[in-house]
Amino acid sequence: IPMREPIISLLCIVFVLVTIAAFGHWEMQGETSVIARFTDNGDGTVTDDTTGLIWLKNANCFGQINWYEAITGVTGLAHGQCGLTDGSSQGDWRLPEKAELLTLLDERYEYPALSNAANTGPWTEGDPFSGVQTNPYWSATAYGNYSDAVWLVRFSQDYMLYYANNS
């Protein structure tokens, strides 16, 4: 069965690449090379180098708000607000989907479950985000077939949960 070996090799390569993308580390002969996780763009935004997503650097721009206030706040977000100097206009920003929020969680750390920009240690104030809150962050993803519940993430405890979006 000559085709089996290349398929197994391809699967191994895919697994290694997925592992590197998920955890940002490459180990070879006892040495570890760390791949930077975030880039501070210097304009109030942070790029996730793993996913390519661009996040607001000020993680507490709106404070503790309900889901409707989050939707309104983020759609009205623009250059000159929350430390943004990126030239963005109202409507350029949106709430992240559940899967996008999950990509930020780093299970190696807790309180909060985020890495620093270099991916070498836990998050500290300003590296790369500022004002990370212990309150949950809203997503735009509905919980199953329930139109009145959405997913949110609590970085302080490294988990996703759902909550009625009418609060």
Side-chain angles (χ1 to χ4, degrees):
I1 306 175
M3 291 303 287
R4 213 174 217 185
E5 211 169 67
I7 291 172
I8 291 171
S9 297
L10 178 61
L11 289 176
C12 290
I13 291 169
V14 169
F15 175 76
V16 168
L17 292 176
V18 168
T19 302
I20 291 170
F23 299 104
H25 290 83
W26 175 268
E27 294 185 32
M28 185 172 203
Q29 297 178 354
E31 295 181 20
T32 301
S33 176
V34 179
I35 300 169
R37 177 62 200 268
F38 299 106
T39 300
D40 185 336
N41 299 316
D43 60 1
T45 67
V46 172
T47 298
D48 183 333
D49 297 328
T50 303
T51 65
L53 294 171
I54 298 174
W55 300 91
L56 187 63
K57 180 174 178 69
N58 181 349
N60 198 18
C61 173
F62 301 109
Q64 185 176 353
I65 56 176
N66 67 38
W67 187 77
Y68 293 106
E69 292 168 332
I71 291 289
T72 302
V74 76
T75 56
L77 190 60
H79 178 94
Q81 299 172 326
C82 299
L84 284 174
T85 59
D86 65 339
S88 61
S89 301
Q90 288 185 357
D92 288 347
W93 290 89
R94 62 177 175 79
L95 281 183
E97 298 294 328
K98 172 188 169 187
E100 293 168 335
L101 277 173
L102 278 173
T103 66
L104 291 175
L105 290 175
D106 191 325
E107 295 175 355
R108 296 176 296 168
Y109 311 110
E110 52 186 27
Y111 304 107
L114 290 168
S115 75
N116 62 11
N119 204 22
T120 57
W123 169 85
T124 57
E125 180 61 32
D127 184 17
F129 301 101
S130 61
V132 174
Q133 60 184 359
T134 56
N135 297 316
Y137 288 87
W138 295 106
S139 83
T141 306
Y143 177 70
N145 293 326
Y146 300 99
S147 61
D148 64 342
V150 295
W151 285 98
L152 50 95
V153 66
R154 184 180 298 260
F155 289 105
S156 62
Q157 297 165 330
D158 181 22
Y159 68 87
M160 295 287 298
L161 58 134
Y162 71 92
Y163 198 79
N165 63 14
N166 59 0
S167 61

